[in-house]
């Protein structure tokens, strides 16, 4: 029987700091090495026929980290955007950034917009990077957007399926599989609404060590799951 492939795989990329500290290095080395894992998992996802790969790269709460670390992470994002253009085009990957873009610098926002425009026509896979994102922020901005667009009476007529349209993930299917690395087993304010029926896979592997083989193992685990959606089978 053919292995069931999730349409949308999402990853909470965690454990960079611990990976570096275990080697007696500064936390930022873990972030540098983590970029290699992003590349490996993107390639593996394309090879496996995943349609959407989304990555939690920076949470709203992560702004509370030391300024130097925040700066390194933003710089790394900028550099990755500059470096990855060719790989994305070769693999026909569409690049999308979602989150509270107002908190990002003008230069980074401009680079993001450029790469999003350049890759907009790519049709093999969509790579979504969540930057300055949190699930509660997303739900709140959706409420505000819906209220502004529909007014008080219109909001009263909203159905559950209509809410999707106002979340920043509008048009993107909910994750089928959510992977979190580094042994932590929590959602950390990630896709709260969208993960209502997502399958979770937790692994002790630290993000810089999470490469193609580990990604495929998570897909194997997903294929063994029985998704019942509250029904009886
Ligand atoms: C994940 O690794 C990267 C981000 C959250 C930006 P961490 O930096 O959280 O690494 P640990 O959890 O401290 O090891
Ligand atoms: C979650 O990791 C956020 C990202 C991976 C971007 P954290 O390391 O920030 O999460 P907590 O603080 O351990 O819950
Ligand atoms: Mg962490």
């Amino acid at each position: 029987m053919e292995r069931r492939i999730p349409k949308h795989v999402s990853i909470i990329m965690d454990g960079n700091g611990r990976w570096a500290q275990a080697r007696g290095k500064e936390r930022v080395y873990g972030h540098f090495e983590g970029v290699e894992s992003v590349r490996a998992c993107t390639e593996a996802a394309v090879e496996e026929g995943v349609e959407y790969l989304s990555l939690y790269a920076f949470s709203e709460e992560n702004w509370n980290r030391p300024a130097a670390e925040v700066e390194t992470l933003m710089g790394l994002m900028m550099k990755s955007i500059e470096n990855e253009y060719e790989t994305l085009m070769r693999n026909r990957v569409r690049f999308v950034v979602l989150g509270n873009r107002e908190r990002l610098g003008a230069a980074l926002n401009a680079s993001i917009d450029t790469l999003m425009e350049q890759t907009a026509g790519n049709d093999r896979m969509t790579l979504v990077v969540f930057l300055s994102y949190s699930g509660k922020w997303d739900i709140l901005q959706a409420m505000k957007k819906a209220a502004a667009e529909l007014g008080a009476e219109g909001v009263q007529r909203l159905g559950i399926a209509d809410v999707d349209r106002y979340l920043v993930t509008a048009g993107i299917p909910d994750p089928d599989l959510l992977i979190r690395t580094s042994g932590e087993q929590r959602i950390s304010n990630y896709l709260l609404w969208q993960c209502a029926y997502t399958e979770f896979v937790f692994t002790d592997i630290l993000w810089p060590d999470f490469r193609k083989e580990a990604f495929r193992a998570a897909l194997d685990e997903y294929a063994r799951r029985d998704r019942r959606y509250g029904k009886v089978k």
Side-chain angles (χ1 to χ4, degrees):
M1 206 178 79
E2 210 181 303
R3 190 173 62 148
R4 199 161 37 95
I5 296 291
K7 191 172 189 168
H8 180 176
V9 179
S10 194
I11 310 180
I12 300 179
M13 310 181 287
D14 201 7
N16 293 354
R18 278 164 284 168
W19 185 91
Q21 277 158 353
R23 284 159 182 76
K25 293 187 174 179
E26 304 235 15
R27 293 175 53 82
V28 295
Y29 285 97
H31 299 318
F32 295 151
E33 195 60 29
V35 174
E36 296 303 318
S37 297
V38 170
R39 190 172 298 132
C41 289
T42 304
E43 275 177 20
V46 167
E47 287 160 11
E48 295 287 339
V50 169
E51 288 177 44
Y52 296 85
L53 174 67
S54 60
L55 305 172
Y56 201 11
F58 194 88
S59 71
E60 283 275 82
E61 289 77 13
N62 289 149
W63 288 112
N64 300 318
R65 291 190 178 195
E69 183 168 341
V70 170
E71 224 168 275
T72 302
L73 285 165
M74 291 300 148
L76 209 54
M77 191 64 213
M78 188 82 175
K79 216 175 108 207
S80 301
I81 286 175
E82 285 160 8
N83 290 342
E84 296 311 309
Y85 169 75
E86 274 164 29
T87 316
L88 294 175
M89 294 310 285
R90 185 165 18 91
N91 290 301
R92 303 208 318 272
V93 175
R94 178 168 72 112
F95 174 79
V96 175
V97 168
L98 298 177
N100 190 355
R101 296 272 306 266
E102 284 172 20
R103 296 189 76 173
L104 306 178
L108 181 55
N109 267 325
S111 295
I112 290 169
D113 284 338
T114 303
L115 191 59
M116 282 176 58
E117 281 159 26
Q118 285 168 329
T119 62
N122 290 347
D123 57 2
R124 193 163 174 201
M125 189 179 82
T126 299
L127 173 66
V128 183
V129 175
F130 285 95
L131 211 52
S132 192
Y133 179 86
S134 90
K136 287 193 178 183
W137 166 81
D138 194 2
I139 292 167
L140 181 62
Q141 69 79 35
M143 289 166 79
K144 290 177 181 171
K145 213 190 291 171
E149 192 182 305
L150 306 170
E153 274 180 49
V155 165
Q156 289 304 317
R157 284 192 293 273
L158 270 181
I160 286 178
D162 302 320
V163 175
D164 291 336
R165 276 209 322 269
Y166 297 96
L167 296 164
V168 294
T169 49
I172 296 171
D174 289 345
D176 300 292
L177 167 64
L178 175 68
I179 302 165
R180 183 167 187 153
T181 59
S182 88
E184 309 299 351
Q185 302 191 357
R186 54 177 169 260
I187 194 93
S188 296
N189 207 356
Y190 189 36
L191 298 167
L192 300 178
W193 178 277
Q194 297 88 337
C195 282
Y197 260 106
T198 299
E199 296 292 330
F200 289 11
V201 168
F202 297 108
T203 169
D204 288 337
I205 301 173
L206 302 174
W207 178 247
D209 289 328
F210 193 89
R211 300 289 163 92
K212 284 190 176 188
E213 197 187 328
F215 184 85
R216 292 201 183 99
L219 293 198
D220 291 342
E221 168 71 30
Y222 172 82
R224 290 192 290 271
R225 298 282 175 90
D226 182 14
R227 303 183 77 183
R228 289 188 290 276
Y229 299 99
K231 296 175 198 160
V232 177
K233 269 195 183 161

